[in-house]
Amino acid sequence: MELVNQHVKGIMEECKLRARDAGLRFDDETLEYIVTNRDLIELSPKTMIPTLYDYWVHDVRVLSGKGMYEAYPSNPYETVINTRPAISFYNDNNPDWLNVMIFYHVLAHIDFFQNNLYYKNTWDVDLAGQALADKRLIAQLRSEKGRWVDYVIEFARGMDNLVGFHRELNRSLTRDQGHVPDRIDFYFDRFLQKIKSVPQHVYLKEIDRYNQCRKDHTDFLGIVVEQYPEFEENFQKEKQKNIPGKLDVMEYILKYSPFLRKEENEWMKSVIHIIRSTSLYFQPQIRTKTMNEGWASFWHAHLFLNDERIRGHETDFAKVNATVTAMPKVGLNPYALGLRLFEHIQEMEDKGRYSLGYFQLKDAHLRTKYDQTKNTGLDYIFSVRENMDDFSFINTFVDQEFVDRHHLFVAGKRFNPQRNTWQYYIKSRKMDEYKQMIIDTLYHPPDIRVVEGKTRNGVLYLDHRFENKPLKQDFIENTMIGIEFLWGGPVHLETSVPATVSQPGAPYINFWDPGAAGRPADSRKPPIQWKRVRFVMKDRKLHKQEL
């Protein structure tokens, strides 16, 4: 792996100028590396951070990625990391015209990272530097504590989807200026003077270094976390002191666990904090995948088609672009869906269709002819890019016009006993059902909270706020074993499980039944009824109690 040469860097800098002229906004400094196809395959399963802490699951993903590459050799195009400065990786065999297209794609990703409000908590963090510091700390703990470090990582990762991402984001967006110290203020006002108690000459030297870093446009906080790996953990503790609000499960365990309070177990808090911070950092990427990829695909096509460097490679571009942005009939391609939805939003706004007059029209023919030209579509999609995540993006803008225009539908699957095969069929072309199908594929972790009123006598009581999506039974036992270990006592989890009740006189369609097609139109599947249960983990034994 090495930095791109001056020729390729010159292409990137030219792409930056044109991207900025089109309205994209991003930091001046970026780093581009050249790697082989195989290395690029390895980077992606490693969660795209070369400096991420070592853990066996990462290695499994690398091996599975290599196995897939051996079976189906491919040409992965790029990987970009939301760091300061942004780091991106490219194949070593890309021709210049392809690099132009990929650079536009990457710059749009960087614009999304640095301007979408769901990423706000990542804007002041040096991910690469922090991850390297975390990796070194875990390596040091492994040399001292052995396999127990991996047990703590495993147990913490079992609940890393329960972090309070939206609460953290809300704290960041709504806090009053000065109510919570930023990292620079905390470093000089608290960390150096109260926590480290450094001599005056060291303190003054740090001030000089900070001023020099500002002058040289270098990352001062990156130097800080490399010198003091514990800095981020101390900052988060200080932030929690100053911000009232509910704690998520991992925060609560970190703060109140009797087991972690013991002096010999204090080191575990650092590991859990690393897992939680890493999860919070990647939450916005999980929650904006369709938007992010659609935004990047929108701009690589828009900018590349207007770039004279495409001359002679129009067919090549069309083939590559079609591979990336093809809309499948069954399944979901986030590149394709996001791209077409941004194009749809721009066109609708350009014609003034996001208006009361348009929505009041009932005549389909008049709707197709409606055009109150505004030409504000580009500004509008920039606003969408800034303020939404995948759920709000899809829930707001997928409409019947979009579904009809792209011939979208919800696919059903049924068994044909005559041919002994499964058949796919068009189940619905309605906007509501298509939208719900897409929403059901989005990342939506369970909402599990600590019930403080019932957490007593050494028992940690958790409540699953049920949203008609049951917890995966296969994961409950292992996750609760880990929570019991880190809490140091019994754990109770209240949730809902399905209790199917059949209703007489209402047969439901069974596609294994040859006569299913002849069922009455009012035939329906029996409704699912839910009952509350409590899972109890005590002494590594799981019990279920009905409530």
Side-chain angles (χ1 to χ4, degrees):
M1 182 170 65
E2 60 185 17
L3 288 169
V4 297
N5 59 40
Q6 290 301 308
H7 170 70
V8 177
K9 185 66 174 178
I11 295 175
M12 168 58 100
E13 294 304 313
E14 177 67 22
C15 289
K16 287 181 183 179
L17 294 175
R18 300 184 186 216
R20 284 198 176 95
D21 288 341
L24 299 182
R25 294 184 288 119
F26 42 81
D27 292 343
D28 291 335
E29 298 299 324
T30 59
L31 291 175
E32 293 80 37
Y33 287 91
I34 291 294
V35 296
T36 65
N37 275 18
R38 190 177 295 275
D39 290 337
L40 202 55
I41 290 291
E42 181 172 333
L43 280 172
S44 295
K46 289 282 279 190
T47 326
M48 299 185 296
I49 318 178
T51 56
L52 190 70
Y53 62 87
D54 293 318
Y55 180 58
W56 67 269
V57 169
H58 300 158
D59 296 329
V60 169
R61 290 175 180 167
V62 168
L63 291 173
S64 64
K66 287 182 175 179
M68 183 64 70
Y69 181 79
E70 294 290 344
Y72 305 100
S74 59
N75 186 43
Y77 297 114
E78 46 79 23
T79 289
V80 58
I81 307 175
N82 178 26
T83 54
R84 292 294 193 276
I87 302 174
S88 48
F89 301 87
Y90 306 89
N91 281 319
D92 56 359
N93 56 358
N94 287 345
D96 286 349
W97 72 267
L98 184 57
N99 273 335
V100 173
M101 170 189 164
I102 298 173
F103 287 160
Y104 284 137
H105 190 93
V106 165
L107 289 173
H109 274 312
I110 297 172
D111 168 85
F112 195 93
F113 291 149
Q114 297 180 4
N115 294 285
N116 181 275
L117 289 178
Y118 284 81
Y119 289 80
K120 189 177 189 307
N121 287 332
T122 73
W123 291 348
D124 298 325
V125 178
D126 173 28
L127 175 62
Q130 184 63 50
L132 182 58
D134 293 344
K135 184 174 184 175
R136 289 171 175 170
L137 177 59
I138 286 181
Q140 178 185 342
L141 289 173
R142 276 199 179 103
S143 67
E144 298 171 1
K145 309 296 181 181
R147 59 189 172 90
W148 289 103
V149 176
D150 291 283
Y151 288 152
V152 175
I153 293 175
E154 183 103 21
F155 295 152
R157 282 175 62 103
M159 56 177 170
D160 70 347
N161 63 330
L162 305 181
V163 294
F165 168 71
H166 285 101
R167 290 195 291 276
E168 288 283 345
L169 184 63
N170 184 59
R171 291 168 181 171
S172 180
L173 292 173
T174 60
R175 67 192 180 201
D176 295 328
Q177 184 67 28
H179 180 61
V180 178
D182 66 19
R183 287 174 171 78
I184 297 297
D185 289 342
F186 171 72
Y187 180 66
F188 287 105
D189 296 343
R190 294 278 301 163
F191 187 77
L192 289 179
Q193 297 185 65
K194 301 293 179 62
I195 298 176
K196 289 298 181 182
S197 301
V198 299
Q200 184 178 10
H201 73 277
V202 175
Y203 184 82
L204 294 175
K205 186 177 179 181
E206 284 299 290
I207 293 176
D208 291 338
R209 180 160 69 170
Y210 171 69
N211 291 329
Q212 187 62 43
C213 285
R214 290 197 63 183
K215 186 184 299 184
D216 298 339
H217 302 288
T218 55
D219 183 15
F220 175 74
L221 285 175
I223 299 173
V224 169
V225 297
E226 186 173 350
Q227 183 175 353
Y228 300 110
E230 70 278 16
F231 169 76
E232 182 66 19
E233 181 179 357
N234 281 274
F235 173 75
Q236 295 296 335
K237 288 180 180 178
E238 181 71 15
K239 190 168 71 169
Q240 294 307 324
K241 291 179 185 176
N242 288 276
I243 306 177
K246 292 287 186 180
L247 303 178
D248 61 44
V249 176
M250 292 185 78
E251 284 180 299
Y252 194 89
I253 290 174
L254 280 168
K255 189 171 184 179
Y256 295 113
S257 167
F259 178 71
L260 297 180
R261 284 180 181 176
K262 296 179 182 178
E263 184 178 353
E264 64 270 22
N265 298 328
E266 280 283 336
W267 63 271
M268 296 183 185
K269 291 185 178 181
S270 298
V271 178
I272 298 171
H273 175 75
I274 288 172
I275 304 302
R276 182 174 181 275
S277 298
T278 304
S279 176
L280 282 171
Y281 198 94
F282 284 102
Q283 285 285 319
Q285 292 196 29
I286 303 171
R287 297 173 186 273
T288 60
K289 182 175 178 61
T290 300
M291 278 188 74
N292 201 338
E293 296 297 357
W295 185 252
S297 300
F298 176 92
W299 283 105
H300 85 229
H302 178 78
L303 292 170
F304 190 59
L305 289 174
N306 293 302
D307 194 315
E308 68 276 3
R309 289 172 289 186
I310 193 179
R311 302 296 177 260
H313 298 286
E314 291 86 350
T315 303
D316 297 325
F317 166 75
K319 290 172 63 177
V320 172
N321 190 57
T323 302
V324 174
T325 62
M327 184 73 98
K329 294 300 181 184
V330 178
L332 174 64
N333 179 356
Y335 295 81
L337 179 62
L339 164 66
R340 285 163 176 78
L341 198 47
F342 272 117
E343 290 175 339
H344 175 71
I345 295 167
Q346 183 184 17
E347 180 181 326
M348 292 282 284
E349 177 64 16
D350 278 338
K351 295 181 178 180
R353 292 183 177 180
Y354 290 128
S355 63
L356 181 62
Y358 177 76
F359 289 122
Q360 286 180 334
L361 286 177
K362 302 300 181 183
D363 190 299
H365 179 70
L366 291 179
R367 279 180 163 241
T368 61
K369 298 296 183 181
Y370 189 94
D371 188 353
Q372 303 291 329
T373 303
K374 294 173 62 178
N375 293 325
T376 55
L378 195 60
D379 292 336
Y380 192 69
I381 63 172
F382 271 104
S383 175
V384 170
R385 175 269 275 143
E386 181 177 353
N387 295 294
M388 291 190 168
D389 66 348
D390 280 349
F391 173 79
S392 54
F393 180 61
I394 291 166
N395 195 49
T396 304
F397 295 111
V398 171
D399 51 29
Q400 195 62 53
E401 285 87 349
F402 179 74
V403 172
D404 292 342
R405 178 180 181 180
H406 296 287
H407 309 291
L408 304 175
F409 56 84
V410 178
K413 182 181 178 182
R414 62 190 173 197
F415 185 74
N416 186 326
Q418 282 79 24
R419 296 187 178 183
N420 199 33
T421 59
W422 288 98
Q423 294 178 333
Y424 289 94
Y425 66 100
I426 297 176
K427 187 176 181 180
S428 173
R429 293 187 185 272
K430 294 180 180 179
M431 170 270 292
D432 290 337
E433 296 186 23
Y434 180 80
K435 181 192 296 185
Q436 190 59 51
M437 179 189 72
I438 301 300
I439 289 174
D440 287 343
T441 67
L442 301 180
Y443 176 74
H444 186 70
D447 186 359
I448 296 178
R449 303 183 183 184
V450 177
V451 182
E452 296 189 47
K454 296 183 179 180
T455 296
R456 54 179 179 264
N457 300 325
V459 175
L460 177 64
Y461 201 100
L462 306 177
D463 178 62
H464 175 210
R465 301 187 68 179
F466 190 60
E467 300 170 288
N468 286 334
K469 290 187 176 182
L471 300 176
K472 292 189 175 181
Q473 299 286 315
D474 295 343
F475 297 160
I476 291 177
E477 183 173 6
N478 287 340
T479 301
M480 291 186 68
I481 285 177
I483 296 176
E484 182 195 27
F485 175 84
L486 296 176
W487 176 251
V491 179
H492 293 186
L493 171 64
E494 189 174 321
T495 184
S496 296
V497 297
T500 304
V501 178
S502 59
Q503 293 188 355
Y508 64 94
I509 296 177
N510 178 4
F511 287 123
W512 291 91
D513 181 359
R519 298 289 188 206
D522 61 350
S523 297
R524 59 188 179 88
K525 194 172 182 178
I528 296 178
Q529 294 187 356
W530 304 96
K531 61 181 179 181
R532 295 295 283 181
V533 299
R534 179 169 56 233
F535 289 96
V536 177
M537 177 60 68
K538 185 176 181 181
D539 298 328
R540 293 182 292 176
K541 300 292 184 182
L542 184 67
H543 307 281
K544 184 169 74 173
Q545 305 169 350
E546 291 193 13
L547 299 178

